[in-house]
Amino acid sequence: MNTLKKLATPFIVVGRWIKETAWVQPLLIVGVIFAIIFSIPSITSGIQGLIDSSSDDIAWYENNQLSLDGTYDKTSNANDFFADFVLAQQGSNEQEGWSSESETGKANAKEIMDKYSNNTGKFFLFFVQDDCSACSDTKEAAERLVDYWDVYIGDEVDNVPLFQYQSIICDEEVDADEYEDTPAFEYLLGDQNYNIFAEQCVDVGQDNNYYRNATTSTKNTIEDNLENLLSSDSSSSTLSSNFQTPLIVLIDTTESNTTRNIISTLFYSLEGDDIYARTQFLADCWLGQEKFSADYRA
């Protein structure tokens, strides 16, 4: 106690002197004001840094973007994609699709989807938006996977397609009168082909290796979020109010996909406490190993 009293004594003396010396107090007030003023640029710089980082993430997704411009009359790149998806999955009267499980149907499906996978047969479809930390984590892991492909994928794995992706930026702003009051993404949710895609997501999302091997908490999250693909809370202002990002869908028309669906798996966030673990998780998904394998044992 005596030691603490000795340490506090100088501060007590200074405080008493300031209190009793009237002319010092205005100087202190002015000093505090100037300190706040001079600190504003640093604070602003920090906030701007966060904004720039978020913008950089969206810019990366924009490199392979399925634009929402045209969803009002179903002419957007996103609408075209979902039409192709349905044709590849279900086929038509003229040609078989993937679900026929025939060699011809699978070949047709791959040919249709190859425009999105750079002819490799496999790609991620990312649903993202600005100001989404999990979207940023996904982008960082994807970039690292590409930069260190040999480390995470390895030369010993044969016939593995290089990383490919497409993205739908859910909060994309389209400069047209039709979208002044209704977001472009909202019109997409009224497209029949998108609804067929969403229905398949609901089915596959709860019937794939990752879902079966995930924790109970992760399963519950996937189930809740998938429910919002087809319906919305009656109290929500728009259909898309409860749409969760990122939604990460792996579309696979390669021989490694032996299911009846060209969607092989999906999830809403990368597992891992740091970028290294999250990158490994994304690599495991691409390779169909660990939790994405039927042989996984926790």
Side-chain angles (χ1 to χ4, degrees):
M1 294 295 292
N2 289 335
T3 301
L4 291 176
K5 185 175 180 180
K6 291 179 180 179
L7 290 174
T9 298
F11 297 100
I12 294 173
V13 172
V14 171
R16 185 179 298 118
W17 178 74
I18 292 174
K19 183 178 180 180
E20 294 175 354
T21 309
W23 61 269
V24 174
Q25 296 177 31
L27 291 180
L28 287 176
I29 294 172
V30 172
V32 170
I33 292 173
F34 273 101
I36 293 173
I37 292 173
F38 287 131
S39 68
I40 288 175
S42 298
I43 297 172
T44 303
S45 177
I47 294 174
Q48 187 61 48
L50 293 175
I51 295 173
D52 291 342
S53 176
S54 178
S55 298
D56 289 344
D57 294 337
I58 291 298
W60 183 84
Y61 287 114
E62 288 174 342
N63 289 331
N64 291 283
Q65 179 184 4
L66 299 171
S67 175
L68 299 175
D69 188 359
T71 53
Y72 176 77
D73 55 5
K74 296 181 172 56
T75 60
S76 73
N77 293 339
N79 289 102
D80 291 343
F81 169 81
F82 290 113
D84 286 337
F85 173 89
V86 172
L87 182 60
Q89 175 64 35
Q90 298 182 351
S92 66
N93 293 333
E94 291 75 28
Q95 66 180 41
E96 295 179 330
W98 185 271
S99 60
S100 71
E101 297 189 277
S102 70
E103 291 301 319
T104 300
K106 291 188 175 184
N108 289 338
K110 183 178 184 303
E111 182 178 0
I112 294 168
M113 302 309 287
D114 267 354
K115 70 179 75 172
Y116 305 104
S117 68
N118 195 25
N119 298 318
T120 66
K122 179 186 286 191
F123 63 97
F124 280 113
L125 174 62
F126 298 123
F127 289 81
V128 299
Q129 63 182 326
D130 201 3
D131 196 22
C132 163
S133 60
C135 300
S136 298
D137 289 343
T138 301
K139 174 258 185 181
E140 291 174 356
E143 278 195 318
R144 181 172 178 81
L145 179 58
V146 172
D147 292 341
Y148 296 93
W149 187 258
D150 291 342
V151 174
Y152 288 96
I153 303 301
D155 296 332
E156 70 278 3
V157 181
D158 297 327
N159 302 319
V160 177
L162 293 176
F163 187 91
Q164 305 291 334
Y165 73 96
Q166 297 290 333
S167 59
I168 292 178
I169 301 173
C170 301
D171 58 349
E172 177 188 354
E173 295 184 2
V174 180
D175 187 16
D177 292 341
E178 294 83 359
Y179 309 102
E180 184 174 346
D181 298 319
T182 304
F185 186 66
E186 195 77 11
Y187 290 114
L188 179 64
L189 303 189
D191 179 46
Q192 181 180 1
N193 292 317
Y194 166 81
N195 291 334
I196 293 173
F197 165 84
E199 289 170 357
Q200 186 172 353
C201 283
V202 172
D203 293 339
V204 176
Q206 300 172 85
D207 185 21
N208 65 80
N209 292 330
Y210 175 66
Y211 177 84
R212 286 187 283 271
N213 294 323
T215 64
T216 300
S217 175
T218 298
K219 288 180 180 179
N220 291 338
T221 297
I222 291 175
E223 292 166 6
D224 291 343
N225 291 340
L226 287 176
E227 184 178 349
N228 293 326
L229 288 181
L230 299 177
S231 62
S232 183
D233 191 318
S234 58
S235 63
S236 300
S237 57
T238 64
L239 290 172
S240 59
S241 296
N242 296 325
F243 190 97
Q244 295 297 312
T245 59
L247 168 57
I248 303 165
V249 181
L250 181 61
I251 295 178
D252 187 358
T253 58
T254 68
E255 293 181 357
S256 63
N257 184 1
T258 58
T259 72
R260 297 186 71 251
N261 304 293
I262 60 176
I263 295 177
S264 62
T265 194
L266 63 80
F267 46 91
Y268 281 89
S269 63
L270 307 184
E271 293 186 10
D273 295 329
D274 55 40
I275 187 173
Y276 309 105
R278 289 190 288 269
T279 304
Q280 184 62 61
F281 178 83
L282 203 59
D284 289 341
C285 177
W286 192 258
L287 293 172
Q289 63 185 19
E290 293 297 323
K291 287 187 177 182
F292 298 92
S293 169
D295 300 325
Y296 176 77
R297 294 293 179 271

